[in-house]
Amino acid sequence: MSTDLMPNRYRPGESNLPSRESELIARRDKVLGASYRLQYRRPVHFVRGEGMWLYDPDGRPHLDFYNNVPCLGHCRPEVNAAMAEQAGRISANTRYLEPKLVDYAERLVGTFPHELDRVVFTCTGSESNDLALRIARCASGNEGVIVSTYAYHGTSAATAAVSPNLGDAVELSPFVRMVSLPGPAGIPAAQAAEFFETQIRSAMMDLSRRGMGVAALLIDSIFSSDGVWADPPGFIASGVASVQEAGGLVIADEVQPGFGRTGACMWGFERHGIVPDLVTLGKPMGNGFPIGAVVGRRAWMDQFGATSRYSNTFAGNTVGIATANAVLTILQRDQIPQKALAMSQRLRAGLEKLAKQRHEVRAIRNAGLFFGIDIGSEGSPAAHRRAMALDLVNAMRDDGVLISTTGANEDTLKVRPPLICQAEHVDLFLASMERALIKIAG
C-alpha cells in the first residue's frame, strides 16, 4: 500500500520545467503552506476554461476528464450570468427574508424522496458532513460513526477524523469503525449484501460494547476513494437498514455522486434503493461556486434545531443560491443526467474494447460518468501496478488529457468528466488513453 498521501504530484527535480513555471513554483513555495501539493509530475498551468477544456498560457487546450466540480463545464455562461446578476444587486445572508432562498430550497428538496423535506445550507462538502455528524449525534444520542476502509469525507477536524483515506498521520477518532467493501475483498456479487451487512453489524456491536453506540453510517454511495466500487446496486441496503433499526442515522455523502453524476438518478443513493436520513451536498452544486447543503428528515432537523443554532454569514448567501439555482435549472431543463448516462455507455464500450487489446487494463467499474479503471496485470506487485497507473496518468497529461488515480493502492484511474461530455470528447479520451498505454508498455 502506498504511504504517499498524493502519489500523482510534482516533486522538485523530477521534471524539467520552463522558467515561467519553475519561477512560479518558487514563489508559491515562499508564501504558501507546506500542505499544498501540485498535481502531475509536470504541473499544469491554466489561465482559462471553457466547457470541457482548460487552456494554458500558450493557448494549448487540455481535455478535462477529471474535475467533477464544474459539472456543467468550465465557466458556463448561464451560471456565471446568474452569479454576476445577483452579485450586482445584493449579497445577503439567511437571517434576512429572501424569496429566492425559499424558491431554491423548495426546488432542491423536490428532487429528493418525500421523506427528505428539510435543507440547511453550508459553504462546502466538508462543512456539510461536519454538520450532518452533529445532527446524527444529537438525534441518536450516540457517538459512533461507521465509514468504509478508505473513505474521505472532508478537511475539518471532525471530518478528517472520519476519513481514513488521509493516511496514518491523521489520527482517526476513537469513535470510528471501518468496514470493508465486498468488491475489494473479492466477494461475489451474489454475496455482497450479506458481506456488507455482516461488516456493519460487527462494527455496531463493537461500538455498543464500548458504550459508544452508533450515531451514523457515513457513506459515499459510489465509494470513490475506495476505488469506485458502486456495484452491485443495492448491496448496501441491508446494512443501511441495520443501522436505522439500531437508532443510528444514515448519512449519504453525495458530494461526488450527486447531481446526476451516476446518470440514471439524480442522487447516487437512489441506485441502491435506500432512503438515508441525511444527505450532504457540495462541489457541483454551484458549478464551482462554494455552496453546499444538508438535506434531511424533518424530525432530525427539528430535534437538532431545538437545542443548537447553525448558521453562518456565507452559507446560503444570495449569490450562492442564485448560482445553484441556475445549475439545477440547466440540469433539469437540458436533461443533463440522461445525456451523461448515454455518454457513460459510449465510454464504457470504448474502454471494454481497449481492455481486450491492452492487458494493462485490469478492470473497469462505473456508475454513470464516474469510472474507476484498474491498471496492471492481476497478480503483479502492488508497487508495479501503482507505478504503471501513475505513468499512464502523466502520459495522458502530456497528451493534453486530465485524469488522476484513486483506491488503496492508487492503481485505479479516476475518470469523472463534466456532465456535458459529448461523443467527440469520449473518442478523444479513448484515443489518448490508447496512446498512453502503448507508451508506458514500450
Side-chain angles (χ1 to χ4, degrees):
M1 185 187 306
S2 174
T3 57
D4 191 333
L5 300 184
M6 186 176 170
N8 180 28
R9 64 181 173 90
Y10 165 71
R11 295 170 176 80
E14 190 174 51
S15 303
N16 292 321
L17 300 178
S19 59
R20 178 181 61 197
E21 277 69 42
S22 61
E23 290 170 4
L24 186 55
I25 290 171
R27 290 175 59 200
R28 279 175 57 102
D29 290 345
K30 287 182 178 180
V31 71
L32 297 184
S35 59
Y36 282 105
R37 305 285 190 273
L38 285 165
Q39 204 162 20
Y40 305 108
R41 292 168 183 163
R42 290 198 308 117
V44 286
H45 178 184
F46 297 129
V47 297
R48 183 171 69 88
E50 183 178 355
M52 293 291 299
W53 300 93
L54 291 165
Y55 296 85
D56 69 15
D58 299 317
R60 183 191 178 197
H62 291 69
L63 181 62
D64 190 352
F65 258 58
Y66 179 65
N67 287 298
N68 69 319
V69 178
C71 61
L72 298 177
H74 295 276
C75 302
R76 180 86 178 203
E78 188 175 345
V79 175
N80 290 351
M83 184 192 309
E85 192 277 334
Q86 182 63 49
R89 290 195 304 112
I90 186 173
S91 178
N93 61 60
T94 55
R95 293 184 293 276
Y96 301 150
L97 283 173
E98 167 53 60
K100 290 184 178 180
L101 172 73
V102 182
D103 291 343
Y104 177 68
E106 290 172 342
R107 291 189 65 200
L108 181 64
V109 299
T111 68
F112 286 88
H114 67 87
E115 296 94 334
L116 304 171
D117 60 355
R118 293 293 187 274
V119 59
V120 176
F121 292 104
T122 67
C123 303
T124 66
S126 294
E127 190 176 297
S128 298
N129 282 327
D130 192 304
L131 175 59
L133 288 171
R134 289 179 62 192
I135 295 170
R137 284 171 169 147
C138 173
S140 67
N142 296 323
E143 290 289 338
V145 178
I146 302 172
V147 298
S148 59
T149 309
Y150 298 103
Y152 169 74
H153 293 294
T155 57
S156 69
T159 55
V162 297
S163 296
N165 176 265
L166 292 176
D168 293 341
V170 178
E171 187 173 338
L172 289 179
S173 165
F175 300 118
V176 167
R177 295 297 180 273
M178 295 180 289
V179 294
S180 299
L181 298 176
I187 305 300
Q191 301 168 26
E194 180 183 0
F195 176 87
F196 188 71
E197 182 183 354
T198 299
Q199 294 273 307
I200 294 294
R201 289 189 178 278
S202 177
M204 288 195 300
M205 184 180 298
D206 188 56
L207 288 169
S208 178
R209 287 182 62 192
R210 297 176 189 279
M212 305 174 195
V214 59
L217 168 63
L218 173 57
I219 50 173
D220 159 13
S221 59
I222 205 164
F223 297 101
S224 168
S225 296
D226 293 88
V228 189
W229 294 93
D231 291 325
F235 83 86
I236 66 172
S238 57
V240 162
S242 299
V243 171
Q244 291 174 323
E245 289 166 5
L249 275 62
V250 173
I251 305 169
D253 181 343
E254 291 286 320
V255 174
Q256 297 202 57
F259 289 98
R261 171 61 56 180
T262 58
C265 308
M266 188 69 163
W267 309 110
F269 67 80
E270 294 178 282
R271 284 185 74 249
H272 292 288
I274 69 165
V275 179
D277 298 286
L278 301 169
V279 181
T280 55
L281 312 178
K283 292 179 180 178
M285 188 173 175
N287 206 53
F289 189 94
I291 183 169
V294 179
V295 178
R297 300 175 188 252
R298 176 182 177 181
W300 309 138
M301 293 287 199
D302 284 354
Q303 187 171 341
F304 178 75
T307 57
S308 305
R309 188 177 74 175
Y310 176 84
S311 69
N312 67 52
T313 306
F314 200 67
N317 74 89
T318 48
V319 177
I321 292 296
T323 306
N325 187 63
V327 170
L328 185 56
T329 294
I330 296 168
L331 282 169
Q332 294 178 327
R333 182 195 68 204
D334 297 348
Q335 298 183 309
I336 299 295
Q338 294 89 330
K339 293 176 181 177
L341 181 60
M343 286 303 102
S344 74
Q345 293 165 349
R346 184 184 185 94
L347 180 53
R348 175 93 194 198
L351 287 169
E352 289 175 347
K353 180 180 178 181
L354 190 57
K356 292 178 181 178
Q357 302 167 352
R358 306 297 314 184
H359 66 86
E360 298 91 351
V361 179
R362 188 168 78 255
I364 303 161
R365 296 180 296 279
N366 79 291
L369 270 180
F370 203 132
F371 280 75
I373 307 164
D374 293 341
I375 299 298
S377 302
E378 198 74 51
S380 59
H384 178 68
R385 298 197 306 269
R386 181 169 60 250
M388 286 187 66
L390 293 171
D391 286 347
L392 179 61
V393 165
N394 283 279
M396 292 184 71
R397 172 259 178 268
D398 292 342
D399 199 33
V401 176
L402 305 180
I403 58 172
S404 194
T405 59
T406 189
N409 188 48
E410 296 286 347
D411 60 354
T412 299
L413 305 183
K414 183 192 290 186
V415 176
R416 47 178 192 181
L419 298 178
I420 60 166
C421 182
Q422 300 294 312
E424 60 265 30
H425 304 128
V426 170
D427 295 345
L428 285 169
F429 169 83
L430 291 168
S432 178
M433 185 170 173
E434 183 174 15
R435 288 191 294 269
L437 284 167
I438 293 170
K439 180 179 179 180
I440 67 170

